[in-house]
Amino acid sequence: MTAGLDEQDLALINALQIAPRIGWAEAARVLGSTPATLAARWRRLREEGLAWVTAHPGVSRDVVVAFVEVDCAAGARPAVLRALCRDPRAVTIEESARGRDLLLTVVTPDLPGLTTFVLDDLPRVEGVRRQRTYLAKEVHRQGGDWRLDALDRQQVALLRLAARRPGPGTRVEPPPDAWPLVNALTEDGRRTAAELARITGRNPATVRRQLARLLDSGFLSFRCEVAQVQSHWPISCTWLARVPAPEHERTVAALKTLPELRLCVSTTGETNMMFIVWTRSLADLLRLERLLGDRLPWLNLVDSAVSLRSAKRMGWLLDASGRSTGEVVVPGAPPP
């Protein structure tokens, strides 16, 4: 057992949430530490499964994102969970307290790919009884945008400056031979060009050029994740809501001001919005619900469910306590 996260751990994780690939020397100047101290601290956090940096193709690409509620036959949940954790299309899997057994976040290259998953492959998983699918029409906030709020404003500003890269206007698709680098960065988003060259068996100079092009393309989104139970925000709740069309933009803008907001998506289905919050306690959920009722009276909260456990988050397999196991299920290269 470990002592979990102290304030210096939280500050380092918060810094890497803002600038996932920042060098230790630059991070040390912002955090008032030394490069060796930060490197050692990060190594411990990774080894204990408390925090990790990963990369994934950005959801702003022309991909399809869907949320699939899965009901399992009696006693079949563990087997279904094991099967779906091995499927790279199900990038995140949560076990819920009510309303469904599992909630999957599914990412596919296109709508036919999603159709294959929900109509052909998912029903073949032994133990799956029913499923309900909500397509994401627009992702307003994603998990990689959530912050621990462990730093002061000046530190945040310096880290944002360090993390700044070319904007979406420069976005290009990487060449097919970049996928070994993509998969290696999925496993560790802080890998250097030298490490990537060693892993892929490529010439170091070639990898430096390929990595620079890949990072500048905007194709990849980097995020620093944290074991939720240790983050001081241990409660995760998913809300399904109905918002009148004229109030949609105002609702999204208001939700984005919540420090608890982890995910916000406009969806298809009987409800038209889904959002996930992380809170410090169950009592905070009630406070948040009252706050939303007071400030957004038109927001109809149709359903809510607390996540009991996360088995997988953005491809990373988690243990029963929500820590990274160190194993990540990476997608393959898209077909030519």
Side-chain angles (χ1 to χ4, degrees), residues 248-269:
H248 197 89
E249 285 189 28
R250 187 154 60 131
T251 302
V252 170
L255 291 175
K256 282 185 174 182
T257 66
L258 298 174
E260 298 90 351
L261 186 69
R262 176 84 182 178
L263 177 77
C264 182
V265 184
S266 295
T267 65
T268 61

Side-chain angles (χ1 to χ4, degrees), residues 3-51:
L5 301 175
D6 61 26
E7 292 303 318
Q8 291 179 313
D9 292 333
L10 294 173
L12 175 56
I13 295 169
N14 196 173
L16 294 180
Q17 287 178 325
I18 300 168
R21 290 183 56 82
I22 191 173
W24 293 131
E26 191 169 6
R29 287 193 292 272
V30 175
L31 298 178
S33 183
T34 68
T37 297
L38 294 183
R41 184 177 293 275
W42 179 245
R43 184 165 55 250
R44 175 183 66 81
L45 292 173
R46 272 184 51 87
E47 289 174 352
E48 295 178 1
L50 292 167

Side-chain angles (χ1 to χ4, degrees), residues 5 13 17 50-52 146 148 224-228 231 278 313:
L5 301 175
I13 295 169
Q17 287 178 325
L50 292 167
W52 58 98
W146 182 81
L148 277 168
C224 179
E225 291 284 5
V226 59
Q228 185 183 359
S231 71
W278 281 13
R313 193 189 308 158

Side-chain angles (χ1 to χ4, degrees), residues 157-168:
L158 291 171
L159 290 163
R160 284 177 175 167
L161 186 63
R164 192 167 57 187
R165 300 198 68 85

Side-chain angles (χ1 to χ4, degrees), residues 16-336:
L16 294 180
Q17 287 178 325
I18 300 168
R21 290 183 56 82
I22 191 173
W24 293 131
E26 191 169 6
R29 287 193 292 272
V30 175
L31 298 178
S33 183
T34 68
T37 297
L38 294 183
R41 184 177 293 275
W42 179 245
R43 184 165 55 250
R44 175 183 66 81
L45 292 173
R46 272 184 51 87
E47 289 174 352
E48 295 178 1
L50 292 167
W52 58 98
V53 171
T54 187
H56 59 87
V59 297
S60 57
R61 294 171 61 235
D62 188 20
V63 298
V64 174
V65 179
F67 302 92
V68 183
E69 297 178 336
V70 176
D71 297 330
C72 304
R77 185 195 300 216
V80 172
L81 200 56
R82 285 193 296 272
L84 293 177
C85 277
R86 294 298 165 184
D87 193 319
R89 296 169 294 183
V91 297
T92 297
I93 304 177
E94 296 184 348
E95 298 180 75
S96 297
R98 65 171 300 277
R100 63 245 170 188
D101 290 317
L102 306 175
L103 176 62
L104 317 179
T105 302
V106 177
V107 179
T108 59
D110 48 33
L111 191 57
L114 178 67
T115 300
T116 298
F117 178 82
V118 298
L119 296 186
D120 300 332
D121 298 339
L122 186 57
R124 292 195 187 106
V125 177
E126 187 173 354
V128 170
R129 292 182 58 193
R130 288 183 299 272
Q131 59 91 1
R132 296 166 297 280
T133 300
Y134 308 85
L135 272 70
K137 295 186 289 187
E138 186 175 357
V139 178
H140 308 291
R141 169 69 59 82
Q142 53 183 311
D145 298 326
W146 182 81
R147 300 289 182 258
L148 277 168
D149 193 25
L151 302 172
D152 62 39
R153 291 183 178 180
Q154 183 179 8
Q155 290 172 314
V156 169
L158 291 171
L159 290 163
R160 284 177 175 167
L161 186 63
R164 192 167 57 187
R165 300 198 68 85
T170 65
R171 185 180 300 274
V172 296
E173 291 291 313
D177 62 2
W179 277 92
L181 300 183
V182 171
N183 288 341
L185 290 167
T186 300
E187 295 168 351
D188 182 354
R190 288 187 55 79
R191 278 176 170 155
T192 64
E195 291 170 326
L196 292 170
R198 187 167 58 251
I199 291 168
T200 61
R202 296 180 177 183
N203 180 278
T206 300
V207 170
R208 280 196 295 273
R209 290 194 300 271
Q210 292 174 332
L211 178 60
R213 180 183 175 190
L214 183 60
L215 296 178
D216 288 342
S217 73
F219 174 79
L220 286 178
S221 292
F222 290 85
R223 63 165 74 184
C224 179
E225 291 284 5
V226 59
Q228 185 183 359
V229 173
Q230 301 289 341
S231 71
H232 301 184
W233 301 74
I235 306 299
S236 177
C237 183
T238 301
W239 266 306
L240 296 175
R242 192 176 296 117
V243 181
E247 305 293 347
H248 197 89
E249 285 189 28
R250 187 154 60 131
T251 302
V252 170
L255 291 175
K256 282 185 174 182
T257 66
L258 298 174
E260 298 90 351
L261 186 69
R262 176 84 182 178
L263 177 77
C264 182
V265 184
S266 295
T267 65
T268 61
E270 295 179 2
T271 55
N272 60 3
M273 185 171 289
M274 170 187 287
F275 59 97
I276 297 175
V277 296
W278 281 13
T279 64
R280 297 185 184 275
S281 66
L282 289 171
D284 264 353
L285 284 178
L286 181 58
R287 175 193 59 78
L288 198 57
E289 189 168 352
R290 288 172 175 165
L291 179 67
L292 293 175
D294 291 340
R295 295 188 178 179
L296 308 175
W298 59 83
L299 178 66
N300 182 11
L301 298 176
V302 176
D303 181 63
S304 66
V306 171
S307 173
L308 296 178
R309 184 165 54 194
S310 292
K312 187 179 183 183
R313 193 189 308 158
M314 291 309 296
W316 285 70
L317 302 186
L318 310 181
D319 66 16
S321 68
R323 300 184 186 213
S324 160
T325 64
E327 184 176 1
V328 55
V329 179
V330 299

